[in-house]
Amino acid sequence: DIQMTQSPSTLSASVGDRVTITCRASQSISSWLAWYQQKPGKAPKLLIYKASDLETGVPSRFSGSGSGTEFTLTVSSLQPDDFATYYCQQHNSYSWTFGQGTKVEVK
Amino acid sequence: EVQLVESGGGLVQPGGSLRLSCAASGFTFSSYRMNWVRQAPGKGLEWVSCIIGSTGTIYYADSVKGRFTISRDDAKNSLYLQMNSLRAEDTAVYYCARSRDGYSVFDYWGQGTLVTVSS
């Protein structure tokens, strides 16, 4: 299975900050990477797929980049609603695997 | 509006069985791949199983292979997960999730149903 590793595990930030989360794959996954946002007690929400394609309805302050084994999720200006846990997921090959998550908390 | 509603979770003893259901509405169910994804308490997400409607192709995570069985009834717009030989490490919230058309990513999720395996 392809292993996905996110960094950092926790990120402290303030409203208005530019925030970047990194996800690394144990082998090349081309651009087959997705990002999700999850709030406590709620189901995850798809933000980005194929590394940089924004899901319908997701604010443009979210962006994704990368290919091969290294990827980033960037929030250009953090909003109060963005404090949550973020997960990456490779969708290159079965069995589809997630990163361990990055919690974005209030600084 | 796309809706996925899971049911069937609960407390079960180790070695026991449980069947989860997911009722889908708001889209052409038969046209989409459907999945189960789980999340242990306080932990991350783990994809469990996928079923492709058009081909009947099924995939499982190694952690559940041979113990869990995914199925679907397109006439009833329903997805199922039969879980046998349950272990403590199967304790999790189980989500039903739809695959985005053409991609193995999950664009709609249910609210989840909690399965607790404990004596």
Side-chain angles (χ1 to χ4, degrees):
Chain A
D1 290 3
I2 299 173
Q3 308 304 315
M4 307 301 294
T5 305
Q6 290 181 232
S7 60
S9 295
T10 306
L11 190 160
S12 298
S14 302
V15 172
D17 284 354
R18 181 181 180 87
V19 165
T20 299
I21 299 169
T22 298
C23 179
R24 289 184 174 87
S26 60
Q27 64 189 73
S28 177
I29 57 171
S30 186
S31 296
W32 303 113
L33 186 96
W35 290 96
Y36 299 83
Q37 176 193 69
Q38 187 180 32
K39 296 181 180 179
K42 300 294 187 182
K45 173 187 175 183
L46 177 64
L47 300 176
I48 287 168
Y49 60 98
K50 214 173 71 175
S52 60
D53 287 358
L54 203 64
E55 177 68 344
T56 304
V58 174
S60 58
R61 63 181 180 272
F62 291 93
S63 64
S65 64
S67 65
T69 62
E70 189 153 336
F71 302 85
T72 59
L73 172 70
T74 299
V75 186
S76 60
S77 177
L78 200 67
Q79 297 302 300
D81 191 48
D82 301 336
F83 291 97
T85 299
Y86 293 84
Y87 294 93
C88 63
Q89 177 230 331
Q90 64 85 11
H91 56 108
N92 176 72
S93 61
Y94 150 83
S95 142
W96 302 286
T97 45
F98 293 87
Q100 81 280 13
T102 296
K103 183 178 181 180
V104 177
E105 63 178 21
V106 177
K107 190 172 186 179
Chain B
E1 179 193 6
V2 172
Q3 284 199 315
L4 300 169
V5 180
E6 302 95 336
S7 60
L11 175 63
V12 61
Q13 292 190 337
S17 298
L18 211 55
R19 189 194 195 209
L20 305 183
S21 299
C22 171
S25 61
F27 65 102
T28 305
F29 181 74
S30 59
S31 297
Y32 286 83
R33 304 181 182 193
M34 295 299 298
N35 304 266
W36 291 98
V37 179
R38 69 183 180 182
Q39 186 169 37
K43 302 297 184 183
L45 299 165
E46 180 186 17
W47 169 81
V48 172
S49 184
C50 173
I51 184 168
I52 301 173
S54 58
T55 64
T57 302
I58 288 173
Y59 299 104
Y60 295 103
D62 287 345
S63 58
V64 306
K65 203 174 294 182
R67 300 187 299 122
F68 290 12
T69 302
I70 191 172
S71 62
R72 63 192 294 162
D73 185 337
D74 289 347
K76 294 184 177 179
N77 291 343
S78 293
L79 178 71
Y80 306 101
L81 187 67
Q82 177 67 43
M83 303 186 295
N84 298 331
S85 303
L86 282 161
R87 307 166 180 166
E89 54 265 36
D90 295 319
T91 294
V93 173
Y94 284 74
Y95 294 102
C96 166
R98 189 184 83 168
S99 287
R100 197 184 194 284
D101 192 21
Y103 299 92
S104 296
V105 299
F106 314 115
D107 61 352
Y108 285 93
W109 300 63
Q111 84 288 352
T113 187
L114 176 62
V115 172
T116 303
V117 184
S118 174
S119 54

